Amino acid sequence: MEWYFVASFLTVLTSSQGILTTLSQSNGRYKYDYATVPFLAEVFKLLVASFLLWRECQRSPFPKMTTDWKTVRLFPIPSIIYLIHNNVQFATLMYVDTSTYQIMGNLKIVTTGILFRLFLKRKLSNLQWMAIILLAVGTTTSQVKGCGEASCESLFSAPIQGYMFGTLSACLSALAGVYTEFLMKKNNDSLYWQNVQLYTFGAIFNMARLQLDDFRGGFEKGPWWQRLFNGYTTTTWMVVLNLGSTGLLVSWLMKYADNIVKVYSTSMAMLLTMVLSVFLFNFRPTLQLFLGIIVCTMSLHMYFAPPNMLLDLPPTSKQDPESLIKVPDDRGTDS
Amino acid sequence: MEWYFVASFLTVLTSSQGILTTLSQSNGRYKYDYATVPFLAEVFKLLVASFLLWRECQRSPFPKMTTDWKTVRLFPIPSIIYLIHNNVQFATLMYVDTSTYQIMGNLKIVTTGILFRLFLKRKLSNLQWMAIILLAVGTTTSQVKGCGEASCESLFSAPIQGYMFGTLSACLSALAGVYTEFLMKKNNDSLYWQNVQLYTFGAIFNMARLQLDDFRGGFEKGPWWQRLFNGYTTTTWMVVLNLGSTGLLVSWLMKYADNIVKVYSTSMAMLLTMVLSVFLFNFRPTLQLFLGIIVCTMSLHMYFAPPNMLLDLPPTSKQDPESLIKVPDDRGTDS
């Protein structure tokens, strides 16, 4: 299975995630407890991974599984990072409005590039760095509030803490991604075995979160397991399955591709969602969406296109623009 | 004199042109007839060029000057194209509002690239084409109306003729530039001799225009030469000298550099003007201005940076994203 096929599939699923979530609301609010969705998605992923691992065990060669505690203990770490991340997100939203928050979210693209370089020691060409910055700029452009739209005066007028938390949040989500890639690639263990470990801890942490919410809420609504499926519709189930599937694709990419590929798929998904929303929820298409799409497409091409395809200059243009300096200032002979 | 030095100087002068023109107004309107400015600028350029040519004639080798009608008759053509262009601009503004008009102005960047390729047979790499498109996108982004700003509903809601005239206008101004480059480079004539011809016709056509305005106005305000300097202040004179100087730099670039270099200088100038306006006329800086500046800077780097500087990949990253396909899906041996 080739990485760009998986990446495109991830783009489609991620953008349908946005659409489905909107559709799963009834007149603008959730009839179900949204916190249950990631938990059930983890359970779904765990079931799928376990099944695939089991099937793999039937076949030979027997899948490689490192089971020593030294390795296993690393698998809860991504969940822990995400847990911290969620709380930082919450803190950020106490200082900035949602549109500023959304804009700052694009910082994640750049921080991922940086941590990718620092922790995974993966080197990028200048052009690829420029592509990553352009991707962030492109997604941000598409989100610029059009004229007439509300709540824009507040842009960049929030207290400094807001921006600090926003940056921290961008670093944490990048860290989680980069750490997962490190985990998946650190040895040749079976992807499914790695997934089983990842999702087991994922399920546990999500369960803990539901439990915590109950404590916070003083069990008013009863224990979470009793109201797990309350208000679930077919669409809600599709949201769960969709979220689960995107998770499975992401860990595939983490093992056989990398974080940058993932960042591109999800960024493109965001633009795709905005375009689909124009048709599905007849949003008014903005000039900035159009511009953002062009910038991101260029960025995609800059990052992934083979260098020779980008730079092959037909001879005439080889002596362009550097040669401008050398153009003879000849006043003597005719040409 | 190196092309990028001239280009940067052109950027500074062009952006101060915008500032000076604003400063030359008294409470938002011109106390002088703006049509006289380009005429006087042409005269200024003609004087400078003649002086430099005269000085060049004192020295040896004697400057090369082609004086046969076959060549000379080509020099009015740019002025003629600009004349048509002005009228098309006028027609465009009958159909679209000024903000849409301003946005469409960025089309000129792309049309210049195209005519540059078609008429001057100059080949560009894919990366350079992408850079040109990004430059246009970047300048457009910086002009996107912020929220709360007026007259944006009308964006892309104008009658089709408006867009057709806008496109035509973009093609004409690109054509004028490309044709001038062709003229300046077609032989090794002295730059100053070429300028003298160019500006003589320029002065004549501008004079004709003033005369025409008088006819249209039925000589109510008296003949143009009598009120040539009416309402002129020191700032107005600076506007004239500034416009003249930018003209001289542009023809230098047309001979020793090219249209793309000119397009970059003037686009960067536009952004510089917007930044300066934030300080001088305390305009509110927008997020889109910031984003546009990043995109244009990247574009500049993509177009002019030497390929190896853009693409030199440290070994580790050479096997970056293409190799993702080749990553061994090894489940047998440990690493």
Side-chain angles (χ1 to χ4, degrees), chain B residues 284-303:
Chain B
R284 185 162 147 281
T286 63
L287 175 60
Q288 45 271 44
L289 172 58
F290 177 67
L291 297 170
I293 290 170
I294 299 177
V295 174
C296 292
T297 316
M298 294 288 164
S299 157
L300 185 73
H301 199 65
M302 282 164 71
Y303 190 93

Side-chain angles (χ1 to χ4, degrees), chain A residues 24-94:
Chain A
S24 76
Q25 301 172 329
S26 37
N27 43 54
R29 44 180 297 281
Y30 297 110
K31 279 226 177 336
Y32 58 93
D33 176 1
Y34 191 79
T36 59
V37 170
F39 168 67
L40 290 173
E42 289 296 320
V43 173
F44 168 74
K45 289 189 283 184
L46 182 55
L47 294 176
V48 173
S50 316
F51 168 73
L52 292 170
L53 180 61
W54 168 77
R55 224 188 44 185
E56 203 172 42
C57 294
Q58 313 304 306
R59 291 196 265 91
S60 69
F62 193 77
K64 174 149 182 342
M65 301 194 261
T66 317
T67 52
D68 61 291
W69 176 238
K70 226 175 87 296
T71 309
V72 176
R73 68 173 180 198
L74 301 176
F75 282 82
I77 294 175
S79 312
I80 296 169
I81 301 174
Y82 279 120
L83 194 73
I84 304 170
H85 177 246
N86 291 336
N87 293 293
V88 174
Q89 271 183 313
F90 187 77
T92 315
L93 280 164
M94 296 194 310

Side-chain angles (χ1 to χ4, degrees), chain A residues 3 56 64 122-123 125-127 146-147 152 188 256 309-311 313-314 317 320 324-325 329 331 333, chain B residues 3 56 122-123 125-127 146-147 152 188 256 309-311 313-314 317 320 324-325 329 331 333:
Chain A
W3 67 271
E56 203 172 42
K64 174 149 182 342
R122 301 283 293 278
K123 301 206 176 57
S125 70
N126 287 338
L127 193 63
C147 28
C152 51
N188 286 357
Y256 302 116
M309 183 209 236
L310 290 174
L311 285 171
L313 305 173
S317 151
D320 197 57
L324 298 176
I325 306 152
D329 184 355
R331 292 196 181 77
T333 59
Chain B
W3 67 271
E56 202 172 42
R122 302 283 292 278
K123 299 204 180 56
S125 71
N126 287 337
L127 194 63
C147 28
C152 49
N188 286 356
Y256 302 117
M309 182 209 232
L310 288 174
L311 285 172
L313 305 173
S317 151
D320 200 50
L324 298 176
I325 306 153
D329 183 354
R331 290 196 182 77
T333 59

Side-chain angles (χ1 to χ4, degrees), chain A residues 151-173:
Chain A
S151 79
C152 51
E153 295 317 317
S154 56
L155 204 61
F156 297 120
S157 58
I160 185 72
Q161 297 94 320
Y163 301 110
M164 285 163 65
F165 276 122
T167 315
L168 179 59
S169 156
C171 294
L172 283 169
S173 74

Side-chain angles (χ1 to χ4, degrees), chain A residues 167-268:
Chain A
T167 315
L168 179 59
S169 156
C171 294
L172 283 169
S173 74
L175 183 63
V178 167
Y179 190 84
T180 311
E181 182 175 343
F182 159 77
L183 263 187
M184 305 303 267
K185 286 183 174 154
K186 79 184 279 289
N187 60 26
N188 286 357
D189 272 15
S190 148
L191 169 63
Y192 307 128
W193 167 238
Q194 291 175 314
N195 281 347
V196 166
Q197 300 172 76
L198 217 50
Y199 302 145
T200 311
F201 289 111
I204 294 169
F205 276 91
N206 276 283
M207 204 186 301
R209 190 201 156 181
L210 289 168
Q211 194 59 55
L212 206 69
D213 291 353
D214 280 359
F215 274 117
R216 287 217 188 89
F219 295 97
E220 278 163 358
K221 297 174 288 173
W224 60 270
W225 58 82
Q226 280 177 20
R227 51 184 170 74
L228 192 52
F229 306 128
N230 288 2
Y232 265 52
T233 62
T234 328
T235 330
T236 320
W237 279 110
M238 283 168 73
V239 173
V240 170
L241 297 188
N242 199 309
L243 187 60
S245 319
T246 54
L248 291 164
L249 292 179
V250 167
S251 35
W252 190 94
L253 284 176
M254 289 298 138
K255 193 174 180 72
Y256 302 116
D258 60 35
N259 267 281
I260 308 294
V261 173
K262 183 211 156 199
V263 161
Y264 269 97
S265 332
T266 47
S267 307
M268 291 303 172

Side-chain angles (χ1 to χ4, degrees), chain B residues 26 41 229 270 286:
Chain B
S26 37
F229 308 127
M270 192 209 76
T286 63

